[in-house]
Amino acid sequence: MRHSVFWKIIIGSLIVITLTEVGLLLVLYKSIYENEVEDATRKIKFAASSSALALEGYDPDDLEDYKSSEPYLNDMCYGLGITYLYVLKPDIENRDEMYLVRGYGKNASKEYINNRYPGYVVKDVLREEQISVMNGKELVVIHEANSYDDTLMCYTPVKKYWSTEKKITVNGIKSMVCAEVSVRSIMENINARYFVFVIWISFVTLLIIITVSVILFLRVSRPLGIISERMKGFVSDKSKPFEKLPVNGKDEIARMSDAFNTMAEDIDNYISELSEFNRQKAELNIAKEIQMGLLVKQSFHNENVSIKASIMTAKVVGGDLYDYSMLDNGNIFVAIADVSGKGITAALFMSRALTLLHQYAKLGYSPAKILFEYNRDLAEHNPNMIFITTFVAIYDPKTRELTYSNAGHNYPYILSDKVTVLDKESDIAAGAFEDTQYHETVIVLNPNDKLFLYTDGVTEAQNDSGEFFG
């Protein structure tokens, strides 16, 4: 279970989605908070300016005159959803302020209301911002936290007032209006909206993860598990009849299953038809045909690359292999490998290695990641400790970058105007030890450069005298 590609993909995806969502939710929370504060600021500015105009006909020296305006202030609070709305008469010299009339909304603090009744004087609290309002500055917004409440408040002057003594309306400033909204009520609105959004996004995310997990399990993990088990059984126990792999659809897994079914059927059919005398030879010939059939074509060409391959086994069948394919993102995957030993054992090991290489390349893994998963799968079911040297590379035609990783294989060459060894260091061959880590290197190819890959059949070739060519 701990080695399952399925669970690694699910856990990795879950981590990425969770981190992404946390980041998005933090950004969203900040955005909602800023919008709520901006909306509250607009409301208190509107309430303050509207009330200042409505109260221009009242006498700041007559508290009884203001009693009739209290219903208006209460209606304004409830209509706009603000918390407090009141009129102050400042004493700039002593920095005192007296409450002339008040209004309040549903989120008001009772203690705060009871201590702000008409005629109540608060000593030595006048701020510079309030003094600037008495000097004519309009709509001054400040944030204040006190023992009663934490509020956002807006001050604005009442620019006219009624003089009972003169019986006329005087142009001047003797009072100011303050509109306040409780920050607690702002946060309650934010949290209510945010909680609903978090519930929805969590539900949608869970639904997506479950859907993707089911699809991935049914279409990838379970079919690959069946293929692996059947291949292992076919190789290890020929006394039991081969049970065909299911072929569903036309994807790579279906084609892989069909190819293995064909190989197994052909081997079984030919073996049963041949006499005991020719059995071994015929089996090897069949295995060679099937082995060659598993390999991709020996030449390929498009506007970006040309690929040519050649293979000659030392015996009828062998453990050398090559593979290449066009990946979904337009990159080109190439690989070459050599199983230790020769004959039918090497050929069967080679077929499994080829399947794994093709599988992990199609999943979009990097060369080092391909070798890591490929080595682990081979090592898990390898009682005879067969190892396989492997070189894997992915070429990006857009950037001309070649990314490669080497598991103990012969050093490739770059052929241009000179011959260059790619790398003189490589990691351990695959198949022997689980969880071996592989390194990868990136180089940039020039136009018309050639990547020359080969197995030790080239370096170990001998002349008629048994001497190495070198």
Side-chain angles (χ1 to χ4, degrees):
M1 182 67 73
R2 66 187 178 90
H3 296 308
S4 172
V5 175
F6 169 75
W7 285 111
K8 288 186 176 181
I9 293 175
I10 293 301
I11 293 172
S13 301
L14 185 60
I15 292 173
V16 171
I17 291 172
T18 302
L19 292 176
T20 303
E21 282 189 358
V22 169
L24 290 175
L25 289 174
L26 290 175
V27 173
L28 177 67
Y29 191 88
K30 180 182 178 183
S31 175
I32 293 175
Y33 176 80
E34 291 174 350
N35 288 338
E36 286 288 339
V37 170
E38 184 178 350
D39 183 57
T41 303
R42 283 197 301 268
K43 288 179 179 179
I44 59 176
K45 283 184 176 180
F46 176 78
S49 59
S50 299
S51 299
L53 289 173
L55 296 169
E56 287 183 348
Y58 292 84
D59 185 355
D61 296 320
D62 185 359
L63 287 176
E64 293 296 322
D65 196 22
Y66 276 91
K67 284 186 177 181
S68 62
S69 66
E70 187 170 320
Y72 167 81
L73 298 180
N74 286 330
D75 290 342
M76 183 73 74
C77 287
Y78 278 90
L80 293 176
I82 63 177
T83 313
Y84 309 103
L85 184 59
Y86 46 83
V87 183
L88 295 170
K89 181 182 177 184
D91 181 351
I92 296 177
E93 182 177 350
N94 296 315
R95 289 187 174 267
D96 300 339
E97 59 184 18
M98 182 175 70
Y99 286 78
L100 301 179
V101 66
R102 69 186 178 190
Y104 54 89
K106 61 181 180 179
N107 294 316
S109 165
K110 291 183 179 180
E111 186 179 7
Y112 191 62
I113 294 170
N114 293 336
N115 285 281
R116 295 294 185 269
Y117 53 84
Y120 178 76
V121 178
V122 184
K123 299 289 187 180
D124 196 27
V125 295
L126 212 61
R127 302 183 183 84
E128 293 300 325
E129 292 88 350
Q130 292 171 291
I131 295 173
S132 69
V133 171
M134 294 303 295
N135 290 329
K137 189 173 182 180
E138 299 182 21
L139 300 175
V140 175
V141 178
I142 62 174
H143 178 212
E144 179 186 79
N146 53 44
S147 58
Y148 301 113
D149 208 345
D150 183 8
T151 59
L152 192 66
M153 53 183 63
C154 175
Y155 291 97
T156 198
V158 180
K159 295 185 176 180
K160 297 179 182 179
Y161 64 91
W162 174 258
S163 174
T164 304
E165 180 184 354
K166 298 179 180 179
K167 306 295 185 182
I168 60 172
T169 298
V170 179
N171 290 323
I173 299 173
K174 292 187 69 175
S175 63
M176 60 183 171
V177 176
C178 180
E180 298 185 15
V181 62
S182 172
V183 174
R184 172 171 47 83
S185 66
I186 295 176
M187 296 307 298
E188 287 175 355
N189 291 336
I190 292 173
N191 292 336
R193 291 173 58 189
Y194 192 71
F195 178 75
V196 172
F197 183 82
V198 169
I199 292 297
W200 272 106
I201 198 171
S202 299
F203 173 76
V204 172
T205 300
L206 182 62
L207 186 63
I208 292 173
I209 290 174
I210 292 174
T211 303
V212 171
S213 300
V214 171
I215 293 173
L216 187 62
F217 177 75
L218 294 178
R219 299 294 298 166
V220 178
S221 182
R222 188 169 69 175
L224 285 177
I226 294 172
I227 291 172
S228 179
E229 289 300 317
R230 300 278 177 82
M231 284 183 171
K232 182 173 67 174
F234 181 73
V235 173
S236 61
D237 190 358
K238 289 297 294 176
S239 63
K240 296 180 180 179
F242 173 69
E243 183 181 354
K244 278 190 175 183
L245 294 169
V247 180
N248 301 315
K250 297 182 179 180
D251 56 16
E252 289 82 358
I253 294 176
R255 291 199 297 270
M256 186 191 311
S257 300
D258 186 56
F260 194 79
N261 285 340
T262 301
M263 180 185 73
E265 285 181 354
D266 288 346
I267 290 176
D268 286 341
N269 290 337
Y270 274 106
I271 290 174
S272 63
E273 293 174 359
L274 293 174
S275 65
E276 189 66 29
F277 177 79
N278 294 318
R279 182 199 245 294
Q280 186 175 9
K281 182 178 179 182
E283 184 177 336
L284 291 174
N285 287 331
I286 295 166
K288 179 178 181 179
E289 291 178 5
I290 295 172
Q291 183 183 26
M292 294 300 104
L294 291 175
L295 299 174
V296 293
K297 295 180 180 180
Q298 293 188 341
S299 64
F300 171 82
H301 176 78
N302 65 11
E303 67 274 17
N304 296 316
V305 297
S306 294
I307 299 175
K308 292 184 179 180
S310 176
I311 183 168
M312 290 184 292
T313 58
K315 293 186 177 181
V316 179
V317 292
D320 290 4
L321 69 91
Y322 68 88
D323 192 24
Y324 64 84
S325 61
M326 290 287 296
L327 303 181
D328 293 339
N329 59 6
N331 292 348
I332 294 95
F333 161 77
V334 293
I336 189 168
D338 183 9
V339 181
S340 60
K342 297 176 175 62
I344 191 66
T345 303
L348 289 172
F349 198 85
M350 163 266 188
S351 67
R352 186 159 180 252
L354 181 63
T355 299
L356 292 172
L357 283 174
H358 203 73
Q359 166 192 326
Y360 290 125
K362 284 296 183 181
L363 287 175
Y365 289 172
S366 67
K369 176 69 171 173
I370 290 172
L371 286 182
F372 176 82
E373 298 291 349
Y374 159 82
N375 168 70
R376 189 186 57 196
D377 282 355
L378 291 175
E380 278 185 341
H381 309 292
N382 187 13
N384 297 324
M385 293 296 290
I386 298 172
F387 64 87
I388 177 170
T389 65
T390 309
F391 177 89
V392 173
I394 293 177
Y395 176 66
D396 186 343
K398 295 178 182 177
T399 61
R400 300 205 307 273
E401 289 184 345
L402 181 76
T403 305
Y404 64 90
S405 188
N406 193 352
H409 200 73
N410 302 87
Y411 312 128
Y413 287 88
I414 297 295
L415 309 181
S416 56
D417 54 346
K418 60 180 180 179
V419 178
T420 305
V421 179
L422 254 191
D423 195 351
K424 293 211 171 178
E425 292 184 4
S426 64
D427 296 309
I428 191 169
F433 304 103
E434 291 186 40
D435 297 327
T436 300
Q437 299 293 329
Y438 292 91
H439 304 86
E440 62 184 28
T441 306
V442 180
I443 62 170
V444 177
L445 298 180
N446 296 317
N448 300 320
D449 279 358
K450 297 178 178 64
L451 175 65
F452 177 64
L453 308 176
Y454 58 98
T455 66
D456 59 12
V458 174
T459 56
E460 295 176 4
Q462 300 175 3
N463 59 20
D464 295 337
S465 301
E467 299 171 337
F468 290 104
F469 286 103

